[in-house]
Amino acid sequence: MPNGEQRNLKHIYIAGNGRREQFTWPRGGGGEVVLPARNRAQHAARLEQALTSAIAAAAEQAAARNPDIAGGQAGFYLEFDIGKEQRALLDKLEDKRGKDHIELVAVRPAEADPETRLSATVFVPEAKRELYLKKVEDYRTQETPTGKPKNQPLVASLEDVRLAHARSLFTDDIQLFPAAGQQAWWEVWLRTGGRPILEHAANILDIVLREHVVRFPEREVVLVLATPNQIGMIVANTDAIAELRLARDTPSVFLAMDPAEQRDWSDELTDRLEVPDADAPSVCILDSGSTRIHPLIEPVLDAGDQQSWNGVWPVEDTSPTWRGHGTKMSGLALYGDLTNPLVSADPISLSHALETVKILPDQGGNDPDLYGYITAEAISRAEIQAPERSRVFCLAVTSAGDHWRGRPSSWSAALDELAYGEGEVQRIVAVSAGNVNALYPAAEYLDQNDAAPIESPAQAWNVLTVGAVTEKCTITGATFAGWSPLAAVGDLSPLSRTSVPWQHEWPIKPDVVFEGGNYGVNPANGDSDHLDDLTLLTTNNRLQAGYFNVIADTSAATALASRMAAQVLADRTELWPETVRGLIVHSADWTPAMRGHLPVNPKQNHKRVLLRRYGYGVPDLARAIRSQNNDVTLVIENSMQPFFLDGSTIKTRDMIFHDLPWPVETLEGLGEEQVELRVTLSYFIEPNPGERGWTKRHRYASHGLRFAVKRPEEDVDTFRGRINAAAREEEDGAYGGGQDDGWVLGPRLRDRGSLHSDVWEGTAADLANRHGIAVYPTGGWWREKKRLERYDREVRYALILTLRAQTTIDLYTEIANAIGVDVEVETA
């Protein structure tokens, strides 16, 4: 070494001439690697061999490309290994000459030797596939004017090369790379122009992309839900991806901060906050109170709107018994999962305010006999405080009881009465389905849930009962390396209860499911456990301990459902409570994971299990509040008188026919193209609880409403006759109406409770002749109990219809031009 200079020595082995030779070379300070002539030739030969193999593998990959997925510039990715001390030479891997650029896209510690080597991945356009071979050949055979091997700085520093795969682009800790078949949320860093290519490939591969995009000068970052194999397909077939990371913005990142740092993040979000108008709707949390001084709560919770049902109780959320449950609910009801707005740089515009009424005592518990009374008193206090305000009531407090068959309790009946409001002051109430009492081994997932009946008061007919689903699957904590999520993405949150054990006559519950978090599975024993990464981030009640906390299960889901209901109300303040509930259910759909539990040719019982486990699925806010050109929604709010007194007999009175403004000629022109018609009917019943069983004279519901769509071959008289026959059959307990071909559920499954939703699937030509829908009553205690004199009451209903077609024809405009929906009322 010149001047006796000391340098770090690294020992490596190079295979050559059938034997292994050990030699050393100097490294350090980003200087050049200089090899003796003999070793230089061996090094060049080895690199040429590795490059030739990699290029041949790239050719095989190109030949196997899926033409439906392929997009962007033809080419492939190569992964090079280089010593860490030579980091400064990485830019020499790029070649920006001409229009076909070789681009360095990702650098990470080498998987085989992370302490001393780096792996650098480049995208190589097909036009430059031989460039590196040429560089190595020139290094072996040519010298510069100064007598050095040509391309020496780069080539001498390269230690290995191979065809790159998805793993090569992963720049997080490689131990966090998801296992084969495991879905994960990825941060996908895109090359310039890569987004439309990714979106196209994702559509073909059924990959979920989040709409939000973060943009940098040379990169766009999108969140993608996919398995490693799906990501690998995109890498092999496109040039879109530059880098992959796990979506690491999980609650654990913020919980690891000290309170002062959490306060800084909270204040930064507050600075971006746009508070709602004074007349905006609210979410009223019925729980353990709330910590109003929290900087994320105070701007939208007036002091007068923070109350307790018992006037002598403090209104703050201070009891250690409830662990800040009310404050956690408050944060979610306002912001959703706080992780998202915290990491965003965008303004946060709140559509609704917050109210809280404390119904849980700081010590001990309430008398179960008073649950219904306490809830009514709490609701009354909020309405007296702000009588003109529209609001959504949020109740995530449940009670175990003998309700496994779905029968009403005094508490659930009280909620039904409160929602019905004597037919004059209807209310939106979201109630949690309740949680399985304890964690269980992973092998018992879903069996435990299907055996755990929904808790009281969530069996109420008129409320929006909320179960929990999860998309949480990213585990980033090094402590939990090797752990896996218990529930698959899009499946039931592990502690969510169901109505699978209920008797068939009782309502479908839950109505819908929202995000409730996931649990991790310990690979050592298969047990499940709480992981902060798999929960939702929200506000904390004890600010001295921190500004953030986590929440999960059906409580979290109910807060999110209440938030969505308030957002729907804020968009259209004149909507009825029945309509808001109906829109949320109408916008819901089963996820691929849920549908994956159905066999190829599902029978009614298979669908029944799905309904009673997931309700109607996961709602979508955008779908609930707006129509797209080929996804057209009609919302009809109307009233009817179900019965009347004819002499001494109570008879059915109104049957309402709606003539729907389908563009008949356009639909007929689409012919055999498949379309969908979704119908949702939402109304409230007046309850009549008791322990006298489910008989005709002692029904719980005041009345029932049903819908029927006209069949193509039916005239009006035939249609009316079919409806009358269906009503009579149901009166006799047969739940008739027939299984009309094309309905996913049919009346036997959907006609339970006071909310009915179904999808008809068929051809556009067939739908063109199904332009009439009827809403008609069925029996209830209003009809059976003449002495109570309810036979002349009117009832309201919301009828929601969506026409969905996979076509470029603008159905929305055609329907909008004929939007005056004709209504015909038939009275006996």
Side-chain angles (χ1 to χ4, degrees), residues 45-61:
R46 189 173 74 87
L47 284 179
E48 286 177 335
Q49 182 181 7
L51 278 166
T52 300
S53 297
I55 293 171
E60 292 180 9
Q61 177 178 278

PDB file of all heavy atoms in Angstrom, residues 45-61:
ATOM      1  N   ALA A  45     -14.682 -12.532 -16.096  1.00  0.00           N
ATOM      2  CA  ALA A  45     -15.304 -13.763 -16.605  1.00  0.00           C
ATOM      3  C   ALA A  45     -16.506 -14.141 -15.755  1.00  0.00           C
ATOM      4  O   ALA A  45     -17.548 -14.585 -16.272  1.00  0.00           O
ATOM      5  CB  ALA A  45     -14.273 -14.883 -16.628  1.00  0.00           C
ATOM      6  N   ARG A  46     -16.364 -13.994 -14.432  1.00  0.00           N
ATOM      7  CA  ARG A  46     -17.485 -14.356 -13.561  1.00  0.00           C
ATOM      8  C   ARG A  46     -18.668 -13.421 -13.776  1.00  0.00           C
ATOM      9  O   ARG A  46     -19.825 -13.850 -13.821  1.00  0.00           O
ATOM     10  CB  ARG A  46     -17.045 -14.324 -12.101  1.00  0.00           C
ATOM     11  CG  ARG A  46     -18.076 -14.901 -11.137  1.00  0.00           C
ATOM     12  CD  ARG A  46     -17.505 -15.001  -9.739  1.00  0.00           C
ATOM     13  NE  ARG A  46     -17.418 -13.691  -9.112  1.00  0.00           N
ATOM     14  CZ  ARG A  46     -18.420 -13.121  -8.420  1.00  0.00           C
ATOM     15  NH1 ARG A  46     -19.565 -13.765  -8.291  1.00  0.00           N
ATOM     16  NH2 ARG A  46     -18.262 -11.952  -7.874  1.00  0.00           N
ATOM     17  N   LEU A  47     -18.399 -12.119 -13.920  1.00  0.00           N
ATOM     18  CA  LEU A  47     -19.482 -11.171 -14.156  1.00  0.00           C
ATOM     19  C   LEU A  47     -20.151 -11.422 -15.507  1.00  0.00           C
ATOM     20  O   LEU A  47     -21.379 -11.320 -15.633  1.00  0.00           O
ATOM     21  CB  LEU A  47     -18.959  -9.734 -14.091  1.00  0.00           C
ATOM     22  CG  LEU A  47     -18.667  -9.177 -12.700  1.00  0.00           C
ATOM     23  CD1 LEU A  47     -18.130  -7.757 -12.799  1.00  0.00           C
ATOM     24  CD2 LEU A  47     -19.914  -9.196 -11.822  1.00  0.00           C
ATOM     25  N   GLU A  48     -19.333 -11.724 -16.534  1.00  0.00           N
ATOM     26  CA  GLU A  48     -19.915 -12.023 -17.843  1.00  0.00           C
ATOM     27  C   GLU A  48     -20.831 -13.232 -17.774  1.00  0.00           C
ATOM     28  O   GLU A  48     -21.914 -13.255 -18.377  1.00  0.00           O
ATOM     29  CB  GLU A  48     -18.790 -12.258 -18.867  1.00  0.00           C
ATOM     30  CG  GLU A  48     -18.087 -10.968 -19.284  1.00  0.00           C
ATOM     31  CD  GLU A  48     -16.933 -11.228 -20.232  1.00  0.00           C
ATOM     32  OE1 GLU A  48     -16.373 -12.353 -20.193  1.00  0.00           O
ATOM     33  OE2 GLU A  48     -16.592 -10.325 -21.001  1.00  0.00           O
ATOM     34  N   GLN A  49     -20.401 -14.240 -17.023  1.00  0.00           N
ATOM     35  CA  GLN A  49     -21.232 -15.425 -16.874  1.00  0.00           C
ATOM     36  C   GLN A  49     -22.540 -15.092 -16.152  1.00  0.00           C
ATOM     37  O   GLN A  49     -23.629 -15.529 -16.554  1.00  0.00           O
ATOM     38  CB  GLN A  49     -20.475 -16.514 -16.122  1.00  0.00           C
ATOM     39  CG  GLN A  49     -21.260 -17.816 -15.965  1.00  0.00           C
ATOM     40  CD  GLN A  49     -20.478 -18.871 -15.195  1.00  0.00           C
ATOM     41  OE1 GLN A  49     -19.400 -18.594 -14.673  1.00  0.00           O
ATOM     42  NE2 GLN A  49     -21.019 -20.069 -15.150  1.00  0.00           N
ATOM     43  N   ALA A  50     -22.443 -14.303 -15.080  1.00  0.00           N
ATOM     44  CA  ALA A  50     -23.635 -13.944 -14.319  1.00  0.00           C
ATOM     45  C   ALA A  50     -24.576 -13.077 -15.161  1.00  0.00           C
ATOM     46  O   ALA A  50     -25.801 -13.250 -15.141  1.00  0.00           O
ATOM     47  CB  ALA A  50     -23.242 -13.216 -13.035  1.00  0.00           C
ATOM     48  N   LEU A  51     -23.997 -12.125 -15.929  1.00  0.00           N
ATOM     49  CA  LEU A  51     -24.825 -11.266 -16.774  1.00  0.00           C
ATOM     50  C   LEU A  51     -25.500 -12.073 -17.883  1.00  0.00           C
ATOM     51  O   LEU A  51     -26.677 -11.855 -18.196  1.00  0.00           O
ATOM     52  CB  LEU A  51     -23.969 -10.152 -17.385  1.00  0.00           C
ATOM     53  CG  LEU A  51     -23.699  -8.943 -16.492  1.00  0.00           C
ATOM     54  CD1 LEU A  51     -22.579  -8.086 -17.060  1.00  0.00           C
ATOM     55  CD2 LEU A  51     -24.976  -8.108 -16.339  1.00  0.00           C
ATOM     56  N   THR A  52     -24.756 -12.989 -18.482  1.00  0.00           N
ATOM     57  CA  THR A  52     -25.334 -13.816 -19.540  1.00  0.00           C
ATOM     58  C   THR A  52     -26.511 -14.622 -19.008  1.00  0.00           C
ATOM     59  O   THR A  52     -27.568 -14.725 -19.643  1.00  0.00           O
ATOM     60  CB  THR A  52     -24.267 -14.743 -20.122  1.00  0.00           C
ATOM     61  OG1 THR A  52     -23.202 -13.950 -20.666  1.00  0.00           O
ATOM     62  CG2 THR A  52     -24.856 -15.616 -21.218  1.00  0.00           C
ATOM     63  N   SER A  53     -26.357 -15.181 -17.811  1.00  0.00           N
ATOM     64  CA  SER A  53     -27.450 -15.947 -17.198  1.00  0.00           C
ATOM     65  C   SER A  53     -28.641 -15.052 -16.888  1.00  0.00           C
ATOM     66  O   SER A  53     -29.803 -15.428 -17.123  1.00  0.00           O
ATOM     67  CB  SER A  53     -26.963 -16.635 -15.921  1.00  0.00           C
ATOM     68  OG  SER A  53     -25.954 -17.569 -16.207  1.00  0.00           O
ATOM     69  N   ALA A  54     -28.366 -13.850 -16.385  1.00  0.00           N
ATOM     70  CA  ALA A  54     -29.449 -12.938 -16.037  1.00  0.00           C
ATOM     71  C   ALA A  54     -30.202 -12.481 -17.281  1.00  0.00           C
ATOM     72  O   ALA A  54     -31.442 -12.407 -17.282  1.00  0.00           O
ATOM     73  CB  ALA A  54     -28.894 -11.728 -15.279  1.00  0.00           C
ATOM     74  N   ILE A  55     -29.472 -12.188 -18.342  1.00  0.00           N
ATOM     75  CA  ILE A  55     -30.122 -11.737 -19.572  1.00  0.00           C
ATOM     76  C   ILE A  55     -30.928 -12.869 -20.200  1.00  0.00           C
ATOM     77  O   ILE A  55     -32.021 -12.660 -20.734  1.00  0.00           O
ATOM     78  CB  ILE A  55     -29.066 -11.182 -20.550  1.00  0.00           C
ATOM     79  CG1 ILE A  55     -28.467  -9.894 -19.975  1.00  0.00           C
ATOM     80  CG2 ILE A  55     -29.682 -10.925 -21.916  1.00  0.00           C
ATOM     81  CD1 ILE A  55     -27.267  -9.375 -20.754  1.00  0.00           C
ATOM     82  N   ALA A  56     -30.412 -14.091 -20.115  1.00  0.00           N
ATOM     83  CA  ALA A  56     -31.166 -15.238 -20.633  1.00  0.00           C
ATOM     84  C   ALA A  56     -32.456 -15.430 -19.830  1.00  0.00           C
ATOM     85  O   ALA A  56     -33.524 -15.716 -20.397  1.00  0.00           O
ATOM     86  CB  ALA A  56     -30.307 -16.491 -20.575  1.00  0.00           C
ATOM     87  N   ALA A  57     -32.371 -15.274 -18.501  1.00  0.00           N
ATOM     88  CA  ALA A  57     -33.573 -15.385 -17.670  1.00  0.00           C
ATOM     89  C   ALA A  57     -34.560 -14.273 -17.995  1.00  0.00           C
ATOM     90  O   ALA A  57     -35.784 -14.482 -18.004  1.00  0.00           O
ATOM     91  CB  ALA A  57     -33.191 -15.340 -16.190  1.00  0.00           C
ATOM     92  N   ALA A  58     -34.037 -13.075 -18.304  1.00  0.00           N
ATOM     93  CA  ALA A  58     -34.904 -11.965 -18.692  1.00  0.00           C
ATOM     94  C   ALA A  58     -35.619 -12.269 -20.001  1.00  0.00           C
ATOM     95  O   ALA A  58     -36.799 -11.919 -20.177  1.00  0.00           O
ATOM     96  CB  ALA A  58     -34.096 -10.680 -18.805  1.00  0.00           C
ATOM     97  N   ALA A  59     -34.924 -12.919 -20.932  1.00  0.00           N
ATOM     98  CA  ALA A  59     -35.547 -13.287 -22.205  1.00  0.00           C
ATOM     99  C   ALA A  59     -36.681 -14.285 -21.984  1.00  0.00           C
ATOM    100  O   ALA A  59     -37.752 -14.192 -22.602  1.00  0.00           O
ATOM    101  CB  ALA A  59     -34.508 -13.854 -23.154  1.00  0.00           C
ATOM    102  N   GLU A  60     -36.464 -15.268 -21.086  1.00  0.00           N
ATOM    103  CA  GLU A  60     -37.521 -16.222 -20.763  1.00  0.00           C
ATOM    104  C   GLU A  60     -38.707 -15.516 -20.114  1.00  0.00           C
ATOM    105  O   GLU A  60     -39.872 -15.815 -20.397  1.00  0.00           O
ATOM    106  CB  GLU A  60     -36.980 -17.301 -19.831  1.00  0.00           C
ATOM    107  CG  GLU A  60     -35.956 -18.233 -20.468  1.00  0.00           C
ATOM    108  CD  GLU A  60     -35.474 -19.283 -19.488  1.00  0.00           C
ATOM    109  OE1 GLU A  60     -36.063 -19.370 -18.380  1.00  0.00           O
ATOM    110  OE2 GLU A  60     -34.522 -20.007 -19.817  1.00  0.00           O
ATOM    111  N   GLN A  61     -38.404 -14.568 -19.233  1.00  0.00           N
ATOM    112  CA  GLN A  61     -39.465 -13.806 -18.570  1.00  0.00           C
ATOM    113  C   GLN A  61     -40.264 -13.004 -19.591  1.00  0.00           C
ATOM    114  O   GLN A  61     -41.501 -12.935 -19.525  1.00  0.00           O
ATOM    115  CB  GLN A  61     -38.840 -12.883 -17.525  1.00  0.00           C
ATOM    116  CG  GLN A  61     -39.820 -11.976 -16.806  1.00  0.00           C
ATOM    117  CD  GLN A  61     -39.134 -11.132 -15.751  1.00  0.00           C
ATOM    118  OE1 GLN A  61     -38.882 -11.584 -14.637  1.00  0.00           O
ATOM    119  NE2 GLN A  61     -38.814  -9.904 -16.101  1.00  0.00           N
TER     120      GLN A  61
END
